[in-house]
C-alpha cells in the first residue's frame, strides 16, 4: 500500500491521487491553522474517517457477506463487462492495470477478484486517512501533560514508544500470517483453499489486529499526556470491537468450519438419542438408553422440563410464570433492593453497610465453599444424584436442582457485591481528569469481565457452565450429555486456562 502510493516512479490511480490530496489537506491543517481550530478540525476528521472505516466499510462488507451485494451491483450494471460497461469499464480497467502492474491480466480473473481489488483501493483511502488524522491530532496535543518530575515524563514517553513499537510488530506479524487476502477481507468476495490460521501473534490474543493491535492508540495517549487523545482512542477502539462483533465474527462463523461447541454436541446428541430406533443402538448401550427410548413414547408434558422449557441462566430465559424464577427475583429484591431503598430514604449508611457487607461475604462463602464441597462430593461419590434417587428422583432432576441453586448463588453473589459497591461509592477528591480516568478504567474492567463470562458460556454451553460433567454418570442424563465428553479449547480457552476464575 505505502510503497505504491509514495513511490514517485509508480503510476498513480485515481484513488491514489485522492488519497494523496486528502493526506496533504490534513497536513496543511495541522501546520497552518491556529491550535484550537486545527484540534477541532482534526478531531472531526478523525471521527469522520473512523466512521467511514467501521460504519461505511463495515456496511459494505456485511452487504457483501449476506447478499453478495457489491459483486451483484457490478454485475447488474455491467461495469466490468466490456460489452455493457462503456466508459466506466474502460476507466476501471485502466485503474486496475495501473495498480497491479504488468503481471496482472484483467480478463483472466473472475469478476469477484476484480471487485475485491477495487474495494482494496477504497480501503487504502480510508485507512490511510484514518491513521493520518490520528497522527496529526496527536501532534496537536503534544506537551499536554503536567509532569511534576522529569522521570515521570521519561517513563510516560518510554511507555508510549514501547506500545507504538509493539503495535507495529503486531500489525507486521499479523500481515505475515494472513497476507493481503485476509488483510483486505478477501474471503468476503471469494474463497480459496485454505483454513483459518492461528500462528505467531494470533497465538497471543484473540483477534490481535483489533485487540492488542490497537496498543499504539494508548501509546499515543501516553506520549501526548492528553485525556482528549485517550478518550478519542478509546472510542475508536470500541468502534473497532463493534465492527468485529457485527461484521467479521458473523462472517467467520458462517464461512469457516470450527470445532463444535459443547452445547452443539449436546443438542445433536439429544436429537439423535431421542429419535434413533432401538434397533440401531448397540447391545452395549441398550440398557442405558432404554429410559430415553421410553421417553420418546410419552407426551411432552411427561418429559423432563429441560427438554422443552429452558432453565434460567443468570437472567437469561427468565419466565414470570415460572415459580422458581419469580422466587429468585423476589430474593434479589428483598436482599438488595429493600436495603438500598432503606439507605436512600433514611440514610443509616453504617447499619446498611454492615448488613450488605455481611450478606456479600456469606454469599461468596456459600458459592465457593459450600457449593464447591458439594461438587467435590458429587465427583467422588455422586452424593447429590444418590440423594435424589434415594427419594424417588433421578439424575436429571438432581442436575436441574443443582442448576437452580448454583444460578441463585451466582445472582446473589453479584447482586450483594453490587449493593456494597453502591453504598460505599463516592465521587472522590482527586483531580477531575483523574476521576474520569478511574471511572473509565473501572467500567472497562467490568466490561472485560462481562465479555470473558460470555465467552466462557459460549464455549461451554449450558451443560459445561453448570458443571454437568459431574452428573453425567447417571443414565437419565444421557438426553443432556454428549456421548463423548471432551474438552474443546476454543474461544477464550485458547488463550487462558480457567478464564472464569
Amino acid at each position: 500500500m505505502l510503497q505504491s502510493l509514495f513511490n514517485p516512479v509508480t503510476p498513480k490511480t485515481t484513488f491514489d491521487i485522492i488519497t494523496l490530496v486528502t493526506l496533504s489537506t490534513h497536513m496543511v491543517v495541522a501546520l497552518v491553522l491556529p491550535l484550537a481550530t486545527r484540534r477541532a478540525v482534526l478531531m472531526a476528521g478523525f471521527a469522520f474517517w473512523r466512521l467511514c472505516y467501521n460504519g461505511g466499510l463495515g456496511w459494505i462488507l456485511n452487504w457483501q457477506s449476506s447478499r453478495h451485494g457489491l459483486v451483484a451491483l457490478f454485475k447488474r450494471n455491467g461495469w466490468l463487462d466490456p460489452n455493457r460497461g462503456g466508459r466506466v469499464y474502460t476507466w476501471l480497467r485502466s485503474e486496475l492495470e495501473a495498480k497491479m502492474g504488468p503481471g496482472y491480466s484483467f480478463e483472466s480473473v473472475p469478476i469477484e477478484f476484480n471487485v475485491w481489488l477495487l474495494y482494496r483501493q477504497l480501503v487504502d483511502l480510508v485507512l490511510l486517512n484514518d491513521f493520518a488524522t490520528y497522527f496529526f491530532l496527536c501532534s496537536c496535543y503534544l506537551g499536554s501533560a503536567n509532569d511534576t518530575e522529569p522521570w515521570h515524563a521519561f517513563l510516560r514517553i518510554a511507555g508510549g514508544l514501547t506500545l507504538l513499537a509493539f503495535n507495529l510488530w503486531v500489525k507486521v506479524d499479523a500481515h505475515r500470517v494472513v497476507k493481503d487476502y485476509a488483510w483486505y477481507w478477501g474471503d468476503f468476495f471469494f474463497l480459496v483453499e485454505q483454513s483459518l490460521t492461528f500462528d505467531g501473534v494470533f497465538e497471543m490474543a484473540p483477534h490481535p489486529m483489533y485487540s492488542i493491535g490497537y496498543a499504539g492508540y494508548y501509546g499515543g495517549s501516553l506520549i501526548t499526556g492528553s485525556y482528549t487523545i485517550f478518550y478519542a482512542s478509546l472510542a475508536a477502539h470500541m468502534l473497532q470491537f463493534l465492527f468485529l462483533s457485527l461484521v467479521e465474527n458473523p462472517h467467520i462463523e458462517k464461512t469457516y468450519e470450527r470445532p463444535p461447541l459443547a452445547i452443539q454436541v449436546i443438542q445433536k446428541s439429544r436429537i439423535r438419542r431421542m429419535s434413533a430406533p432401538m434397533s440401531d443402538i448397540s447391545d452395549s448401550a441398550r440398557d442405558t438408553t432404554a429410559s430415553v427410548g421410553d421417553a420418546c413414547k410419552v407426551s411432552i408434558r411427561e418429559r423432563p422440563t429441560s427438554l422443552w422449557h429452558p432453565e434460567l441462566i443468570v437472567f437469561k430465559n427468565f419466565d414470570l410464570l415460572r415459580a422458581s424464577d419469580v422466587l429468585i427475583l423476589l430474593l434479589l429484591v428483598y436482599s438488595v433492593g429493600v436495603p438500598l431503598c432503606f439507605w436512600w430514604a433514611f440514610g443509616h449508611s453504617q447499619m446498611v453497610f454492615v448488613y450488605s457487607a455481611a450478606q456479600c461475604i456469606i454469599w461468596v462463602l456459600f458459592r465457593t465453599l459450600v457449593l464447591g464441597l458439594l461438587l467435590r462430593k458429587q465427583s467422588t461419590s455422586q452424593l447429590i444424584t444418590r440423594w435424589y434417587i434415594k427419594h424417588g428422583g433421578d439424575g436429571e432432576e438432581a442436575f436441574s436442582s443443582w442448576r437452580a441453586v448454583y444460578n441463585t448463588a451466582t445472582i446473589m453473589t453479584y447482586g450483594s457485591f453490587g449493593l456494597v459497591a453502591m453504598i460505599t461509592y463516592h465521587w472522590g477528591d482527586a483531580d477531575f481528569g483523574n476521576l474520569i480516568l478511574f471511572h473509565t478504567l473501572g467500567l472497562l474492567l467490568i466490561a472485560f469481565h462481562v465479555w470473558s463470562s460470555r465467552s466462557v458460556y459460549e464455549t461451554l454451553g449450558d451443560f459445561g457452565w453448570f458443571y454437568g460433567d459431574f452428573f453425567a454418570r447417571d443414565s437419565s442424563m444421557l438426553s443432556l450429555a454428549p456421548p463423548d465428553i471432551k474438552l474443546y479449547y476454543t474461544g477464550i480457552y485458547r488463550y487462558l486456562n480457567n478464564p472464569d476464575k
Side-chain angles (χ1 to χ4, degrees), residues 11-67:
K12 299 296 182 288
T13 66
T14 304
F15 280 100
D16 291 339
I17 295 173
I18 295 174
T19 302
L20 290 172
V21 169
T22 53
L23 291 176
S24 302
T25 303
H26 299 319
M27 183 181 298
V28 170
V29 169
L31 295 176
V32 174
L33 294 181
L35 180 60
T37 305
R38 69 172 178 260
R39 282 180 174 179
V41 173
L42 289 173
M43 180 65 75
F46 177 57
F48 171 77
W49 289 111
R50 175 51 49 172
L51 290 175
C52 285
Y53 179 8
N54 299 133
L57 297 182
W59 180 83
I60 294 175
L61 286 176
N62 187 62
W63 183 40
Q64 172 64 23
S65 175
S66 58
R67 301 168 53 187

Side-chain angles (χ1 to χ4, degrees), residues 364-384 386 402 405-406 467 470-471:
V364 169
L365 292 177
F366 175 77
R367 184 171 180 263
T368 55
L369 296 182
V370 177
L371 296 188
L373 180 61
L374 281 176
L375 270 185
R376 182 179 178 85
K377 291 294 185 181
Q378 174 67 17
S379 174
T380 57
S381 62
Q382 294 291 290
L383 173 67
I384 304 175
R386 289 191 294 107
W402 160 259
V405 173
Y406 182 80
Y467 306 96
F470 285 75
F471 296 80

